[in-house]
Amino acid sequence: MSIKTEQMVLNIGPQHPSTHGVFRIEVVIEGEIIKQAKPVIGYLHRGSEKLAEDLVYSQFIPYTDRLDYMNAMTNNYVYCAAIEKLMEIEVPERAEYLRVITMELNRVASHLVWWGTYLLDIGALSPFIYAFRDRDTILDRLNEISGARMTFNYMRIGGVKWDAPVGWIEKVQETVKLLRKNFEEYDRLVTGNEVFVGRTKGVGIITKEDAINWGLSGPILRGSGVKFDLRRDQPYSIYDRFDFEIPTREEGDCFARYEVRLEEMRQSLRIVEQACEQIVEGDIIHKKGQRLMMIKPPAGETYFRCEASKGEIGVYVVSNGKNKPYRVKLRRPSFVNVEILADMLKDRNIADLVAIFGSLDVVLGEVDA
């Protein structure tokens, strides 16, 4: 006996910015099967790249915070590093250590938001509370060094805004120990849970070939078995000084991407721990970066990229020798990663949509920059 079904257009979203961002997926369903999906972006578009042309170089740094408000430190860094490359500035060693410590702590905080909200979307409340408990601890450390809890504006062209407070490094070391212990709870609470495994294993598979062909990066790429991480494969800052692993999984499903992010948090703690042990005394900013309003890179162009929490973020800058950029172009990982969503959802059950979309960890600030 066959059941007659009709195709129906279903709009999922847009949601309010206080939930998961302004994003809409228009799906055509037949029964409970998705026949076509169309991601609709642009609700949050702010024209950040165009705004940069009317600001002096240092004034654009706070705008990078808002691209991925979960991983602001890395966004600060990649823009500053692009200008430093253009000006051939050598960043003081102590500043590089402070940059790495803050970026890796922020990476963990970003993954914690994903971990908690992903489980919440699937139907589990407790993990969300655990995640934000630990994220709050990290934000306390980042607040102490930057003066802000989310949009940090800490990096400067040539270094960092100011030095770490007295005793801050020791507090970070204690935080690392606490987080490492708490992460053991995550495995016991979620990783082996049969409901979670049933919702994520074998769901939303991205093959290695598709991951490469779609230009995916970050945990999504590594969850499909591609062992590529810019911190190791094209080292920047002082990442070549640290011993850490690049987690990968071969399955390419939602569960694989979950495992990669969980292990990445542990590896970030390894990096922070080593950086705290190795940090040296000295200056925190190059003299050319101290005159914020007078930074004038020579005429030319450059591109700099690094490994953000959601994948490769890059900044292309064109200078005409004045104190404002002639052109700024951003390569945002979420904008690229979300492109595969329609392909992933085709012929999937509508109930899998939340698990698949959530596993991409898309931040709409990056998509709509």
Side-chain angles (χ1 to χ4, degrees):
M1 177 181 175
S2 61
I3 299 175
K4 183 181 177 181
T5 60
E6 294 181 3
Q7 286 195 353
M8 180 174 67
V9 177
L10 180 66
N11 283 291
I12 300 171
Q15 288 91 6
H16 189 276
S18 66
T19 54
H20 292 302
V22 280
F23 184 71
R24 178 163 68 96
I25 308 174
E26 183 183 288
V27 294
V28 177
I29 58 174
E30 191 171 295
E32 296 201 6
I33 304 300
I34 298 172
K35 293 299 181 181
Q36 185 181 347
K38 179 185 176 183
V40 182
I41 64 175
Y43 293 96
L44 199 63
H45 186 60
R46 294 158 295 174
S48 299
E49 296 167 334
K50 191 65 178 175
L51 284 169
E53 298 174 17
D54 199 41
L55 300 166
V56 302
Y57 282 91
S58 58
Q59 285 178 323
F60 187 63
I61 298 172
Y63 286 79
T64 66
D65 286 321
R66 277 78 179 172
L67 296 175
D68 177 2
Y69 21 82
M70 298 297 113
N71 195 211
M73 285 291 188
T74 306
N75 292 349
N76 281 180
Y77 171 79
V78 70
Y79 172 73
C80 291
I83 310 305
E84 291 158 6
K85 183 179 177 182
L86 200 56
M87 297 178 68
E88 298 183 347
I89 288 178
E90 186 175 342
V91 178
E93 198 170 8
R94 182 172 178 82
E96 291 285 25
Y97 276 103
L98 291 173
R99 284 177 166 189
V100 167
I101 293 170
T102 52
M103 282 193 292
E104 292 305 316
L105 285 175
N106 202 185
R107 186 187 310 275
V108 176
S110 176
H111 281 349
L112 285 172
V113 172
W114 171 81
W115 188 81
T117 56
Y118 188 52
L119 272 296
L120 186 64
D121 287 343
I122 289 178
L125 175 62
S126 298
F128 179 82
I129 298 170
Y130 283 104
F132 272 69
R133 172 200 65 185
D134 292 338
R135 175 177 178 261
D136 236 38
T137 303
I138 295 174
L139 294 188
D140 285 343
R141 301 292 83 79
L142 297 179
N143 185 20
E144 289 160 0
I145 197 170
S146 72
R149 287 184 62 82
M150 197 161 87
T151 49
F152 304 109
N153 187 26
Y154 179 60
M155 308 292 178
R156 290 291 179 268
I157 297 166
V160 293
K161 183 163 59 176
W162 48 53
D163 206 345
V166 176
W168 186 79
I169 295 295
E170 290 73 20
K171 290 174 78 171
V172 168
Q173 290 173 316
E174 289 302 313
T175 298
V176 168
K177 293 177 183 177
L178 175 64
L179 292 173
R180 189 171 282 132
K181 177 184 175 182
N182 289 349
F183 287 170
E184 295 176 5
E185 293 180 329
Y186 291 16
D187 277 327
R188 295 197 299 270
L189 185 65
V190 175
T191 308
N193 182 284
E194 62 179 308
V195 176
F196 176 69
V197 171
R199 290 293 306 275
T200 56
K201 270 203 171 181
V203 175
I205 295 174
I206 304 174
T207 66
K208 182 181 293 187
E209 292 73 20
D210 281 345
I212 294 170
N213 291 338
W214 280 92
L216 306 182
S217 60
I220 303 175
L221 180 68
R222 294 187 283 274
S224 294
V226 183
K227 198 166 190 174
F228 181 78
D229 188 309
L230 288 166
R231 294 172 297 172
R232 184 203 64 181
D233 296 299
Q234 293 184 14
Y236 52 90
S237 186
I238 52 171
Y239 276 103
D240 56 352
R241 302 183 186 183
F242 307 119
D243 177 34
F244 62 101
E245 302 296 325
I246 309 299
T248 58
R249 296 293 185 273
E250 297 295 327
E251 296 81 3
D253 57 11
C254 294
F255 189 77
R257 293 187 281 277
Y258 163 88
E259 287 190 306
V260 165
R261 289 189 180 97
L262 206 59
E263 184 57 31
E264 278 192 6
M265 290 195 288
R266 297 187 177 101
Q267 296 303 320
S268 287
L269 294 183
R270 283 181 64 184
I271 295 172
V272 171
E273 196 170 48
Q274 294 171 69
C276 288
E277 292 171 355
Q278 297 177 20
I279 192 168
V280 298
E281 298 296 328
D283 296 331
I284 58 161
I285 191 167
H286 191 280
K287 61 181 181 181
K288 288 184 179 180
Q290 293 173 359
R291 301 176 67 186
L292 298 179
M293 307 299 287
M294 298 301 294
I295 293 173
K296 293 183 180 181
E301 59 184 344
T302 191
Y303 179 75
F304 187 88
R305 60 180 184 163
C306 72
E307 192 73 36
S309 63
K310 293 160 187 65
E312 177 188 327
I313 184 168
V315 176
Y316 171 68
V317 181
V318 179
S319 168
N320 57 6
K322 298 181 180 179
N323 67 339
K324 296 179 181 179
Y326 178 75
R327 184 74 176 94
V328 171
K329 176 65 179 173
L330 305 167
R331 194 275 186 200
R332 295 103 65 195
S334 291
F335 180 79
V336 178
N337 292 344
V338 78
E339 303 299 327
I340 197 174
L341 182 60
D343 194 59
M344 293 176 71
L345 292 176
K346 185 174 173 56
D347 296 325
R348 295 296 314 188
N349 195 301
I350 188 69
D352 292 333
L353 188 150
V354 172
I356 292 172
F357 179 51
S359 74
L360 298 182
D361 192 17
V362 171
V363 164
L364 280 305
E366 281 187 346
V367 173
D368 292 341

